[in-house]
Amino acid sequence: MTDGIVGEFLSLKEETDADLLAMQCGDFYEFFAEDAEFVGRELDLKVSQKSSHGSSYPMAGVPLSELSPYLKALVEKGYRVAVADQYETDGGGHAREITKVVTPGTFLGTHDADAQYLAAIVADREATDSGDRSAETDTAYGLAFADVTTGRFTATAVEDRDAARAELHRFGPAEVIPGPAVRTDEPMLSAIREETDATLSLPEAELFAPGRARHAVREQFGSSTPEAIGLESTLAIRAAGAVVGYAEETGAGVTAAMTRLQAYEPGDHVALDATTQRNLELAETMQGNREGSLFATVDHTVTTPGRRLLREWLARPRRDRAEIGRRLDAVEAFASAALARDQVRDVLGEAADLERLGSRAANGSADARDLLSVRDTLAVPHRLLEAIDGTELEASPIAETLRGLDLETVRGVRKELAEALAEDPPDSVTQGGLFRRGYDEELDEVIERHEAVREWLDGLADRERKRHGLSHVTVDRNKTDGYYIQVGKSVADRVPEHYREVKTLKNSKRFTTDELEEREREVLRLEEARGDLEHELFCELRERVAGRAELLQDVGRAIAAVDVFAALAEHAAVNGWTRPTVTDGDELSIEAGRHPVVEQSTEFVPNDLAMDERRRFLLVTGPNMSGKSTYMRQAALIALLAQAGSFVPAREATVGVVDGIYTRVGALDELAEGRSTFMVEMQELSNILHSATENSLVILDEVGRGTATYDGISIAWAATEYLHNEIGAKTLFATHYHELTTLAEHLPRVENVHVAAEERDGDVTFLRTIREGPTDRSYGIHVADLAGVPEPVVSRADEVLGRLREEKAIEARGSGGGSDESGDGREQEATEPIQAVFDLSSGSFRSGDGGSGRSDDDHELDGRTAVADREDIPELPPGADDVLEELSETDVNETPPVELMAKVQEWQERIDGERNSEIDGERNGEIDGSEGTLER
Ligand code: ADP
């Protein structure tokens, strides 16, 4: 038998592609071989050895009733676990078969507040197969997301990989099943890995086939065609059908809660690509903490479904003003009714997670306590309506949300549960004690007889004491002896004759009688009958509740919405947020705005923003650390909050609906994340330039920093022109390239703003206030000082800067991104034209003497190529070659600014030295640096 068990385990393991197998052996679920070692490590289970066919196998097991917490732990770690149950064979032996596979996306035992999505993603195969790169990037994807714990199920089709990536990031599924074409779509696979912590499962490709998927959707949702439920796209149908098929295959009864499928168009929501969701720190900070995210800041919900819904709203702000306005009306009503809000929140605090309970009812795992929670939570809509009765909230969308429910049926289900269930039912649903009297006649009769026998038994000890004059008599029962009369040793020899002894203990004896035995049989029979009958009645009741799963989900969602409205109002009231005016216009204007998260921890200096159709592109300059990125993110977050239906941190705000928010943030931030900087930066820029429209909001926090200065400026310059001329998106662009500020003179809708700083007696104060016009300085050395760079270095840097300023050709020296931290971009008239400089008025490169030089794209750091064909370039002394070589080999991104400055200084000194010795040697006089040529 032993040998057989391990063999059976191994062959069942072959059958499944689950990661682990738990196999029932009598009263235990056992893991064998590698699986045993694995769970031993992962779950700290004791591993013993089982010998089989002369070899010995590791074995680890858990009692039948304790499997759930272990499954939960494994599934939460991302593993799929197959469970094989034991059944009796005809020959009276035992065999086992896999009855279900529990996976991260289909696990029903989760208690997390977070949604638990199972996602399917399919690609438009033909496009992927074409091999043509443009076609490949244009591949459309179908996506479906189902949360089996709440019954939420939604599907869509998106145009390209970036959009698919954005949806994956929004939903953060626990498990993803990629369709056949996606399995070879390496970029999409890595996007899945990057955007989610999901377990990737690979069910048979057949599930994704259009015909089969369509059939699965039809079967599950009972409509004539998927199109009838709004699912138009074949890709979305394939994804949805695969989710249904896969969930069915796991065999855990999880499809029961999938009561409806909601198709959505990506166009219903503000496009927020995955990078933007991260950059704006919606659900977690860039460091990966929840604390400090927008969600954690505004989350004052008191229910789990409320928390889930708020997260969803923040990740998917709306585009339609009607829905936004409805939400804002509700938040406003709550914001101005503090008392009613408190009362409502008190009532909400008692609501259980109805969506989850509905699912548990549907898949048959709800127990009597769950149904009692359903009963109590179904009372919540009425109680909420009572709480708002006669208050300002009565005419708000809050009341509408609640009245929109089928309250008649809600009352009916609640009444049925109230009349059925006992107040304090046991955990088990098979042992009786679940129902109230009067619920079922037959049950009442069984209960009556049961109670009567129990009473008889309860009174037996007393009666025996009196009748036979015995002291120390008790009547009790246990597993081995059944019911017995226990008599103290001292009186044991005085028991009547019909007492039959069953056991002698140290101080007492146990007896039984014919009558007691008969009553015992009766009580056992009645207990069993009651247990069976109650279980049967309970299953029927649960099924009727399950039949209302959709209603429960509706009520759950309505409660969640009220919770979110109240939470947003609470935050608005406590933090002085105001209702934004949301329009279809082009405006984004903010008066005394604050950053929603930063204002929590800082004495925040409010600032204004004004953008409209004539003022669409703001170049934001200012010293490092002055608040540029905070200002821009704040603008994006205010737009996002407004469109999610929330009040905003501002004295006044008007938000013209945006269709998308796109951000890219400085290379330095990404460096910290260990991402390859420049390529990523350019990919992000490319995505923005491809995706943004004139109705989008674009936030660029440094562009071009990851490459040499001239490259960087040129890219930033061209991107600005493109955004301004071709796309017309509202754009906020923070840059340290002061050269760009002259763009405002050339492009009509570009304006300069800067974050003000004040310098007095060498001390710089950041005023955190936004002013019109470009900044004049960047105060990099001051920041170095603030950061604790040793004093000698700071003062030396000051000296170097002074000299460089005097020479007035900082930008001309091609010293890369770092040096202009402390450079003065406005002083660009080079008096010592050694290399090309960037011409502010033409936006092209020229030699430093003011001539109009090259303006093509080929301006590398290497000054020799940049100006080699110029005749009026001064001749450099021979030793300068080494300097130029060092210069071209210096990696600007790897060299700290201060070190760069020192290098520049050193190069200058070397060139000067060479030149002087040349002069000394030749003419012994002054040299005019503007003569001569670089060509040699
Ligand atoms: P930059 O992008 O210019 O380098 P940041 O936006 O990162 O600067 O801001 C630097 C610091 O200043 C941050 O710690 C931020 O909290 C703080 N800060 C920014 N704006 C304000 C403001 N308006 N009021 C108060 N503190 C601010």
Side-chain angles (χ1 to χ4, degrees), residues 598 602-607 622-631 634 701 768:
V598 178
T602 320
E603 192 68 46
F604 201 86
V605 181
N607 42 52
N624 233 338
M625 287 299 286
S626 60
K628 298 182 296 295
S629 72
T630 308
Y631 178 65
Q634 162 189 328
D701 195 349
R768 314 266 185 233

mmCIF file with all atom_site columns, all heavy atoms in Angstrom, residues 598 602-607 622-631 634 701 768, ligand 1:
data_model
loop_
_atom_site.group_PDB
_atom_site.id
_atom_site.type_symbol
_atom_site.label_atom_id
_atom_site.label_alt_id
_atom_site.label_comp_id
_atom_site.label_asym_id
_atom_site.label_entity_id
_atom_site.label_seq_id
_atom_site.pdbx_PDB_ins_code
_atom_site.Cartn_x
_atom_site.Cartn_y
_atom_site.Cartn_z
_atom_site.occupancy
_atom_site.B_iso_or_equiv
_atom_site.pdbx_formal_charge
_atom_site.auth_seq_id
_atom_site.auth_comp_id
_atom_site.auth_asym_id
_atom_site.auth_atom_id
_atom_site.pdbx_PDB_model_num
ATOM   1   N N   . VAL A 1 598 ? 2.147  65.784 -0.597  1.00 0.00 ? 598 VAL A N   1
ATOM   2   C CA  . VAL A 1 598 ? 3.203  66.573 0.054   1.00 0.00 ? 598 VAL A CA  1
ATOM   3   C C   . VAL A 1 598 ? 2.609  67.516 1.109   1.00 0.00 ? 598 VAL A C   1
ATOM   4   O O   . VAL A 1 598 ? 3.210  67.748 2.153   1.00 0.00 ? 598 VAL A O   1
ATOM   5   C CB  . VAL A 1 598 ? 4.019  67.361 -1.002  1.00 0.00 ? 598 VAL A CB  1
ATOM   6   C CG1 . VAL A 1 598 ? 5.089  68.208 -0.339  1.00 0.00 ? 598 VAL A CG1 1
ATOM   7   C CG2 . VAL A 1 598 ? 4.653  66.401 -1.996  1.00 0.00 ? 598 VAL A CG2 1
ATOM   8   N N   . THR A 1 602 ? 4.186  68.697 4.904   1.00 0.00 ? 602 THR A N   1
ATOM   9   C CA  . THR A 1 602 ? 4.991  69.912 4.765   1.00 0.00 ? 602 THR A CA  1
ATOM   10  C C   . THR A 1 602 ? 4.113  71.143 4.928   1.00 0.00 ? 602 THR A C   1
ATOM   11  O O   . THR A 1 602 ? 2.926  71.108 4.616   1.00 0.00 ? 602 THR A O   1
ATOM   12  C CB  . THR A 1 602 ? 5.582  69.998 3.329   1.00 0.00 ? 602 THR A CB  1
ATOM   13  O OG1 . THR A 1 602 ? 6.001  68.698 2.944   1.00 0.00 ? 602 THR A OG1 1
ATOM   14  C CG2 . THR A 1 602 ? 6.729  70.953 3.245   1.00 0.00 ? 602 THR A CG2 1
ATOM   15  N N   . GLU A 1 603 ? 4.716  72.198 5.376   1.00 0.00 ? 603 GLU A N   1
ATOM   16  C CA  . GLU A 1 603 ? 4.051  73.504 5.335   1.00 0.00 ? 603 GLU A CA  1
ATOM   17  C C   . GLU A 1 603 ? 4.059  73.896 3.863   1.00 0.00 ? 603 GLU A C   1
ATOM   18  O O   . GLU A 1 603 ? 5.048  74.429 3.367   1.00 0.00 ? 603 GLU A O   1
ATOM   19  C CB  . GLU A 1 603 ? 4.870  74.499 6.173   1.00 0.00 ? 603 GLU A CB  1
ATOM   20  C CG  . GLU A 1 603 ? 4.193  75.802 6.477   1.00 0.00 ? 603 GLU A CG  1
ATOM   21  C CD  . GLU A 1 603 ? 3.017  75.623 7.418   1.00 0.00 ? 603 GLU A CD  1
ATOM   22  O OE1 . GLU A 1 603 ? 3.159  74.906 8.436   1.00 0.00 ? 603 GLU A OE1 1
ATOM   23  O OE2 . GLU A 1 603 ? 1.962  76.191 7.109   1.00 0.00 ? 603 GLU A OE2 1
ATOM   24  N N   . PHE A 1 604 ? 2.994  73.598 3.173   1.00 0.00 ? 604 PHE A N   1
ATOM   25  C CA  . PHE A 1 604 ? 3.035  73.704 1.713   1.00 0.00 ? 604 PHE A CA  1
ATOM   26  C C   . PHE A 1 604 ? 2.761  75.131 1.252   1.00 0.00 ? 604 PHE A C   1
ATOM   27  O O   . PHE A 1 604 ? 1.850  75.785 1.752   1.00 0.00 ? 604 PHE A O   1
ATOM   28  C CB  . PHE A 1 604 ? 2.016  72.758 1.091   1.00 0.00 ? 604 PHE A CB  1
ATOM   29  C CG  . PHE A 1 604 ? 2.315  72.438 -0.338  1.00 0.00 ? 604 PHE A CG  1
ATOM   30  C CD1 . PHE A 1 604 ? 3.176  71.403 -0.656  1.00 0.00 ? 604 PHE A CD1 1
ATOM   31  C CD2 . PHE A 1 604 ? 1.768  73.198 -1.365  1.00 0.00 ? 604 PHE A CD2 1
ATOM   32  C CE1 . PHE A 1 604 ? 3.479  71.119 -1.976  1.00 0.00 ? 604 PHE A CE1 1
ATOM   33  C CE2 . PHE A 1 604 ? 2.073  72.918 -2.675  1.00 0.00 ? 604 PHE A CE2 1
ATOM   34  C CZ  . PHE A 1 604 ? 2.924  71.875 -2.986  1.00 0.00 ? 604 PHE A CZ  1
ATOM   35  N N   . VAL A 1 605 ? 3.559  75.604 0.326   1.00 0.00 ? 605 VAL A N   1
ATOM   36  C CA  . VAL A 1 605 ? 3.314  76.926 -0.236  1.00 0.00 ? 605 VAL A CA  1
ATOM   37  C C   . VAL A 1 605 ? 2.423  76.756 -1.464  1.00 0.00 ? 605 VAL A C   1
ATOM   38  O O   . VAL A 1 605 ? 2.845  76.175 -2.462  1.00 0.00 ? 605 VAL A O   1
ATOM   39  C CB  . VAL A 1 605 ? 4.636  77.608 -0.651  1.00 0.00 ? 605 VAL A CB  1
ATOM   40  C CG1 . VAL A 1 605 ? 4.358  78.993 -1.221  1.00 0.00 ? 605 VAL A CG1 1
ATOM   41  C CG2 . VAL A 1 605 ? 5.587  77.670 0.529   1.00 0.00 ? 605 VAL A CG2 1
ATOM   42  N N   . PRO A 1 606 ? 1.178  77.228 -1.400  1.00 0.00 ? 606 PRO A N   1
ATOM   43  C CA  . PRO A 1 606 ? 0.258  77.021 -2.525  1.00 0.00 ? 606 PRO A CA  1
ATOM   44  C C   . PRO A 1 606 ? 0.730  77.803 -3.743  1.00 0.00 ? 606 PRO A C   1
ATOM   45  O O   . PRO A 1 606 ? 1.416  78.813 -3.592  1.00 0.00 ? 606 PRO A O   1
ATOM   46  C CB  . PRO A 1 606 ? -1.074 77.602 -2.020  1.00 0.00 ? 606 PRO A CB  1
ATOM   47  C CG  . PRO A 1 606 ? -0.896 77.845 -0.565  1.00 0.00 ? 606 PRO A CG  1
ATOM   48  C CD  . PRO A 1 606 ? 0.567  78.011 -0.325  1.00 0.00 ? 606 PRO A CD  1
ATOM   49  N N   . ASN A 1 607 ? 0.394  77.321 -4.898  1.00 0.00 ? 607 ASN A N   1
ATOM   50  C CA  . ASN A 1 607 ? 0.760  78.063 -6.099  1.00 0.00 ? 607 ASN A CA  1
ATOM   51  C C   . ASN A 1 607 ? -0.298 77.918 -7.187  1.00 0.00 ? 607 ASN A C   1
ATOM   52  O O   . ASN A 1 607 ? -1.168 77.063 -7.113  1.00 0.00 ? 607 ASN A O   1
ATOM   53  C CB  . ASN A 1 607 ? 2.134  77.613 -6.589  1.00 0.00 ? 607 ASN A CB  1
ATOM   54  C CG  . ASN A 1 607 ? 2.262  76.120 -6.504  1.00 0.00 ? 607 ASN A CG  1
ATOM   55  O OD1 . ASN A 1 607 ? 1.400  75.410 -7.010  1.00 0.00 ? 607 ASN A OD1 1
ATOM   56  N ND2 . ASN A 1 607 ? 3.302  75.634 -5.845  1.00 0.00 ? 607 ASN A ND2 1
ATOM   57  N N   . GLY A 1 622 ? 13.931 76.478 -12.780 1.00 0.00 ? 622 GLY A N   1
ATOM   58  C CA  . GLY A 1 622 ? 14.145 76.815 -11.375 1.00 0.00 ? 622 GLY A CA  1
ATOM   59  C C   . GLY A 1 622 ? 15.246 75.951 -10.842 1.00 0.00 ? 622 GLY A C   1
ATOM   60  O O   . GLY A 1 622 ? 15.573 74.923 -11.431 1.00 0.00 ? 622 GLY A O   1
ATOM   61  N N   . PRO A 1 623 ? 15.821 76.377 -9.729  1.00 0.00 ? 623 PRO A N   1
ATOM   62  C CA  . PRO A 1 623 ? 16.912 75.600 -9.159  1.00 0.00 ? 623 PRO A CA  1
ATOM   63  C C   . PRO A 1 623 ? 16.483 74.168 -8.878  1.00 0.00 ? 623 PRO A C   1
ATOM   64  O O   . PRO A 1 623 ? 15.296 73.898 -8.696  1.00 0.00 ? 623 PRO A O   1
ATOM   65  C CB  . PRO A 1 623 ? 17.219 76.317 -7.847  1.00 0.00 ? 623 PRO A CB  1
ATOM   66  C CG  . PRO A 1 623 ? 16.574 77.633 -7.939  1.00 0.00 ? 623 PRO A CG  1
ATOM   67  C CD  . PRO A 1 623 ? 15.477 77.534 -8.933  1.00 0.00 ? 623 PRO A CD  1
ATOM   68  N N   . ASN A 1 624 ? 17.472 73.332 -8.824  1.00 0.00 ? 624 ASN A N   1
ATOM   69  C CA  . ASN A 1 624 ? 17.251 71.965 -8.375  1.00 0.00 ? 624 ASN A CA  1
ATOM   70  C C   . ASN A 1 624 ? 16.601 71.987 -7.015  1.00 0.00 ? 624 ASN A C   1
ATOM   71  O O   . ASN A 1 624 ? 16.954 72.818 -6.189  1.00 0.00 ? 624 ASN A O   1
ATOM   72  C CB  . ASN A 1 624 ? 18.630 71.334 -8.206  1.00 0.00 ? 624 ASN A CB  1
ATOM   73  C CG  . ASN A 1 624 ? 18.717 70.061 -8.965  1.00 0.00 ? 624 ASN A CG  1
ATOM   74  O OD1 . ASN A 1 624 ? 17.690 69.454 -9.272  1.00 0.00 ? 624 ASN A OD1 1
ATOM   75  N ND2 . ASN A 1 624 ? 19.917 69.641 -9.282  1.00 0.00 ? 624 ASN A ND2 1
ATOM   76  N N   . MET A 1 625 ? 15.686 71.088 -6.784  1.00 0.00 ? 625 MET A N   1
ATOM   77  C CA  . MET A 1 625 ? 15.060 70.964 -5.466  1.00 0.00 ? 625 MET A CA  1
ATOM   78  C C   . MET A 1 625 ? 14.146 72.144 -5.116  1.00 0.00 ? 625 MET A C   1
ATOM   79  O O   . MET A 1 625 ? 13.730 72.292 -3.977  1.00 0.00 ? 625 MET A O   1
ATOM   80  C CB  . MET A 1 625 ? 16.112 70.858 -4.346  1.00 0.00 ? 625 MET A CB  1
ATOM   81  C CG  . MET A 1 625 ? 16.840 69.549 -4.282  1.00 0.00 ? 625 MET A CG  1
ATOM   82  S SD  . MET A 1 625 ? 15.702 68.209 -3.991  1.00 0.00 ? 625 MET A SD  1
ATOM   83  C CE  . MET A 1 625 ? 15.335 68.466 -2.254  1.00 0.00 ? 625 MET A CE  1
ATOM   84  N N   . SER A 1 626 ? 13.854 72.965 -6.106  1.00 0.00 ? 626 SER A N   1
ATOM   85  C CA  . SER A 1 626 ? 13.048 74.135 -5.761  1.00 0.00 ? 626 SER A CA  1
ATOM   86  C C   . SER A 1 626 ? 11.566 73.786 -5.744  1.00 0.00 ? 626 SER A C   1
ATOM   87  O O   . SER A 1 626 ? 10.768 74.501 -5.157  1.00 0.00 ? 626 SER A O   1
ATOM   88  C CB  . SER A 1 626 ? 13.309 75.253 -6.765  1.00 0.00 ? 626 SER A CB  1
ATOM   89  O OG  . SER A 1 626 ? 12.965 74.810 -8.072  1.00 0.00 ? 626 SER A OG  1
ATOM   90  N N   . GLY A 1 627 ? 11.190 72.701 -6.383  1.00 0.00 ? 627 GLY A N   1
ATOM   91  C CA  . GLY A 1 627 ? 9.783  72.322 -6.361  1.00 0.00 ? 627 GLY A CA  1
ATOM   92  C C   . GLY A 1 627 ? 9.157  72.167 -7.735  1.00 0.00 ? 627 GLY A C   1
ATOM   93  O O   . GLY A 1 627 ? 7.943  72.131 -7.882  1.00 0.00 ? 627 GLY A O   1
ATOM   94  N N   . LYS A 1 628 ? 9.991  72.035 -8.775  1.00 0.00 ? 628 LYS A N   1
ATOM   95  C CA  . LYS A 1 628 ? 9.442  71.921 -10.120 1.00 0.00 ? 628 LYS A CA  1
ATOM   96  C C   . LYS A 1 628 ? 8.606  70.659 -10.264 1.00 0.00 ? 628 LYS A C   1
ATOM   97  O O   . LYS A 1 628 ? 7.482  70.691 -10.743 1.00 0.00 ? 628 LYS A O   1
ATOM   98  C CB  . LYS A 1 628 ? 10.569 71.899 -11.168 1.00 0.00 ? 628 LYS A CB  1
ATOM   99  C CG  . LYS A 1 628 ? 11.412 73.143 -11.198 1.00 0.00 ? 628 LYS A CG  1
ATOM   100 C CD  . LYS A 1 628 ? 12.484 73.084 -12.272 1.00 0.00 ? 628 LYS A CD  1
ATOM   101 C CE  . LYS A 1 628 ? 13.517 71.987 -12.061 1.00 0.00 ? 628 LYS A CE  1
ATOM   102 N NZ  . LYS A 1 628 ? 14.348 72.157 -10.859 1.00 0.00 ? 628 LYS A NZ  1
ATOM   103 N N   . SER A 1 629 ? 9.178  69.556 -9.825  1.00 0.00 ? 629 SER A N   1
ATOM   104 C CA  . SER A 1 629 ? 8.440  68.325 -10.079 1.00 0.00 ? 629 SER A CA  1
ATOM   105 C C   . SER A 1 629 ? 7.210  68.232 -9.205  1.00 0.00 ? 629 SER A C   1
ATOM   106 O O   . SER A 1 629 ? 6.172  67.738 -9.654  1.00 0.00 ? 629 SER A O   1
ATOM   107 C CB  . SER A 1 629 ? 9.329  67.138 -10.004 1.00 0.00 ? 629 SER A CB  1
ATOM   108 O OG  . SER A 1 629 ? 9.809  66.650 -9.132  1.00 0.00 ? 629 SER A OG  1
ATOM   109 N N   . THR A 1 630 ? 7.304  68.753 -8.019  1.00 0.00 ? 630 THR A N   1
ATOM   110 C CA  . THR A 1 630 ? 6.124  68.768 -7.153  1.00 0.00 ? 630 THR A CA  1
ATOM   111 C C   . THR A 1 630 ? 4.999  69.573 -7.814  1.00 0.00 ? 630 THR A C   1
ATOM   112 O O   . THR A 1 630 ? 3.835  69.156 -7.832  1.00 0.00 ? 630 THR A O   1
ATOM   113 C CB  . THR A 1 630 ? 6.486  69.395 -5.792  1.00 0.00 ? 630 THR A CB  1
ATOM   114 O OG1 . THR A 1 630 ? 7.629  68.724 -5.278  1.00 0.00 ? 630 THR A OG1 1
ATOM   115 C CG2 . THR A 1 630 ? 5.344  69.288 -4.814  1.00 0.00 ? 630 THR A CG2 1
ATOM   116 N N   . TYR A 1 631 ? 5.376  70.698 -8.386  1.00 0.00 ? 631 TYR A N   1
ATOM   117 C CA  . TYR A 1 631 ? 4.397  71.580 -9.025  1.00 0.00 ? 631 TYR A CA  1
ATOM   118 C C   . TYR A 1 631 ? 3.698  70.879 -10.189 1.00 0.00 ? 631 TYR A C   1
ATOM   119 O O   . TYR A 1 631 ? 2.478  70.934 -10.339 1.00 0.00 ? 631 TYR A O   1
ATOM   120 C CB  . TYR A 1 631 ? 5.137  72.826 -9.515  1.00 0.00 ? 631 TYR A CB  1
ATOM   121 C CG  . TYR A 1 631 ? 4.280  73.824 -10.248 1.00 0.00 ? 631 TYR A CG  1
ATOM   122 C CD1 . TYR A 1 631 ? 3.257  74.503 -9.596  1.00 0.00 ? 631 TYR A CD1 1
ATOM   123 C CD2 . TYR A 1 631 ? 4.517  74.112 -11.600 1.00 0.00 ? 631 TYR A CD2 1
ATOM   124 C CE1 . TYR A 1 631 ? 2.483  75.447 -10.268 1.00 0.00 ? 631 TYR A CE1 1
ATOM   125 C CE2 . TYR A 1 631 ? 3.754  75.053 -12.277 1.00 0.00 ? 631 TYR A CE2 1
ATOM   126 C CZ  . TYR A 1 631 ? 2.746  75.711 -11.613 1.00 0.00 ? 631 TYR A CZ  1
ATOM   127 O OH  . TYR A 1 631 ? 1.978  76.637 -12.277 1.00 0.00 ? 631 TYR A OH  1
ATOM   128 N N   . GLN A 1 634 ? 1.582  67.910 -9.041  1.00 0.00 ? 634 GLN A N   1
ATOM   129 C CA  . GLN A 1 634 ? 0.400  68.444 -8.389  1.00 0.00 ? 634 GLN A CA  1
ATOM   130 C C   . GLN A 1 634 ? -0.672 68.775 -9.437  1.00 0.00 ? 634 GLN A C   1
ATOM   131 O O   . GLN A 1 634 ? -1.850 68.476 -9.247  1.00 0.00 ? 634 GLN A O   1
ATOM   132 C CB  . GLN A 1 634 ? 0.850  69.679 -7.614  1.00 0.00 ? 634 GLN A CB  1
ATOM   133 C CG  . GLN A 1 634 ? -0.184 70.635 -7.185  1.00 0.00 ? 634 GLN A CG  1
ATOM   134 C CD  . GLN A 1 634 ? 0.512  71.896 -6.640  1.00 0.00 ? 634 GLN A CD  1
ATOM   135 O OE1 . GLN A 1 634 ? 1.608  71.819 -6.078  1.00 0.00 ? 634 GLN A OE1 1
ATOM   136 N NE2 . GLN A 1 634 ? -0.102 73.034 -6.836  1.00 0.00 ? 634 GLN A NE2 1
ATOM   137 N N   . ASP A 1 701 ? 9.408  65.771 -16.901 1.00 0.00 ? 701 ASP A N   1
ATOM   138 C CA  . ASP A 1 701 ? 10.315 66.239 -15.870 1.00 0.00 ? 701 ASP A CA  1
ATOM   139 C C   . ASP A 1 701 ? 11.713 65.889 -16.339 1.00 0.00 ? 701 ASP A C   1
ATOM   140 O O   . ASP A 1 701 ? 12.199 64.796 -16.105 1.00 0.00 ? 701 ASP A O   1
ATOM   141 C CB  . ASP A 1 701 ? 9.979  65.530 -14.545 1.00 0.00 ? 701 ASP A CB  1
ATOM   142 C CG  . ASP A 1 701 ? 10.626 66.230 -13.367 1.00 0.00 ? 701 ASP A CG  1
ATOM   143 O OD1 . ASP A 1 701 ? 11.478 67.107 -13.599 1.00 0.00 ? 701 ASP A OD1 1
ATOM   144 O OD2 . ASP A 1 701 ? 10.275 65.892 -12.223 1.00 0.00 ? 701 ASP A OD2 1
ATOM   145 N N   . ARG A 1 768 ? 9.424  78.483 -3.258  1.00 0.00 ? 768 ARG A N   1
ATOM   146 C CA  . ARG A 1 768 ? 8.373  77.518 -3.621  1.00 0.00 ? 768 ARG A CA  1
ATOM   147 C C   . ARG A 1 768 ? 7.202  78.181 -4.338  1.00 0.00 ? 768 ARG A C   1
ATOM   148 O O   . ARG A 1 768 ? 6.117  77.628 -4.371  1.00 0.00 ? 768 ARG A O   1
ATOM   149 C CB  . ARG A 1 768 ? 7.837  76.777 -2.401  1.00 0.00 ? 768 ARG A CB  1
ATOM   150 C CG  . ARG A 1 768 ? 8.882  76.269 -1.464  1.00 0.00 ? 768 ARG A CG  1
ATOM   151 C CD  . ARG A 1 768 ? 9.236  74.855 -1.790  1.00 0.00 ? 768 ARG A CD  1
ATOM   152 N NE  . ARG A 1 768 ? 10.155 74.278 -0.840  1.00 0.00 ? 768 ARG A NE  1
ATOM   153 C CZ  . ARG A 1 768 ? 11.293 73.693 -1.185  1.00 0.00 ? 768 ARG A CZ  1
ATOM   154 N NH1 . ARG A 1 768 ? 11.634 73.607 -2.459  1.00 0.00 ? 768 ARG A NH1 1
ATOM   155 N NH2 . ARG A 1 768 ? 12.075 73.172 -0.285  1.00 0.00 ? 768 ARG A NH2 1
HETATM 156 P P1  . ADP B 2 .   ? 12.697 69.880 -8.187  1.00 0.00 ? 1   ADP B P1  1
HETATM 157 O O1  . ADP B 2 .   ? 11.832 69.098 -9.094  1.00 0.00 ? 1   ADP B O1  1
HETATM 158 O O2  . ADP B 2 .   ? 12.735 71.324 -8.555  1.00 0.00 ? 1   ADP B O2  1
HETATM 159 O O3  . ADP B 2 .   ? 14.072 69.322 -8.039  1.00 0.00 ? 1   ADP B O3  1
HETATM 160 P P2  . ADP B 2 .   ? 10.989 68.913 -6.069  1.00 0.00 ? 1   ADP B P2  1
HETATM 161 O O4  . ADP B 2 .   ? 9.678  69.133 -6.692  1.00 0.00 ? 1   ADP B O4  1
HETATM 162 O O5  . ADP B 2 .   ? 11.514 67.534 -6.030  1.00 0.00 ? 1   ADP B O5  1
HETATM 163 O O6  . ADP B 2 .   ? 12.077 69.871 -6.714  1.00 0.00 ? 1   ADP B O6  1
HETATM 164 O O7  . ADP B 2 .   ? 10.872 69.512 -4.609  1.00 0.00 ? 1   ADP B O7  1
HETATM 165 C C1  . ADP B 2 .   ? 11.927 69.549 -3.705  1.00 0.00 ? 1   ADP B C1  1
HETATM 166 C C2  . ADP B 2 .   ? 11.404 69.555 -2.296  1.00 0.00 ? 1   ADP B C2  1
HETATM 167 O O8  . ADP B 2 .   ? 10.645 70.720 -2.043  1.00 0.00 ? 1   ADP B O8  1
HETATM 168 C C3  . ADP B 2 .   ? 10.505 68.392 -1.996  1.00 0.00 ? 1   ADP B C3  1
HETATM 169 O O9  . ADP B 2 .   ? 10.962 67.813 -0.808  1.00 0.00 ? 1   ADP B O9  1
HETATM 170 C C4  . ADP B 2 .   ? 9.137  68.977 -1.786  1.00 0.00 ? 1   ADP B C4  1
HETATM 171 O O10 . ADP B 2 .   ? 8.483  68.351 -0.735  1.00 0.00 ? 1   ADP B O10 1
HETATM 172 C C5  . ADP B 2 .   ? 9.405  70.415 -1.447  1.00 0.00 ? 1   ADP B C5  1
HETATM 173 N N1  . ADP B 2 .   ? 8.395  71.272 -2.044  1.00 0.00 ? 1   ADP B N1  1
HETATM 174 C C6  . ADP B 2 .   ? 8.142  71.370 -3.354  1.00 0.00 ? 1   ADP B C6  1
HETATM 175 N N2  . ADP B 2 .   ? 7.161  72.267 -3.597  1.00 0.00 ? 1   ADP B N2  1
HETATM 176 C C7  . ADP B 2 .   ? 6.789  72.757 -2.394  1.00 0.00 ? 1   ADP B C7  1
HETATM 177 C C8  . ADP B 2 .   ? 5.824  73.725 -1.969  1.00 0.00 ? 1   ADP B C8  1
HETATM 178 N N3  . ADP B 2 .   ? 5.047  74.368 -2.860  1.00 0.00 ? 1   ADP B N3  1
HETATM 179 N N4  . ADP B 2 .   ? 5.721  73.978 -0.663  1.00 0.00 ? 1   ADP B N4  1
HETATM 180 C C9  . ADP B 2 .   ? 6.514  73.345 0.218   1.00 0.00 ? 1   ADP B C9  1
HETATM 181 N N5  . ADP B 2 .   ? 7.429  72.424 -0.117  1.00 0.00 ? 1   ADP B N5  1
HETATM 182 C C10 . ADP B 2 .   ? 7.581  72.117 -1.402  1.00 0.00 ? 1   ADP B C10 1
#
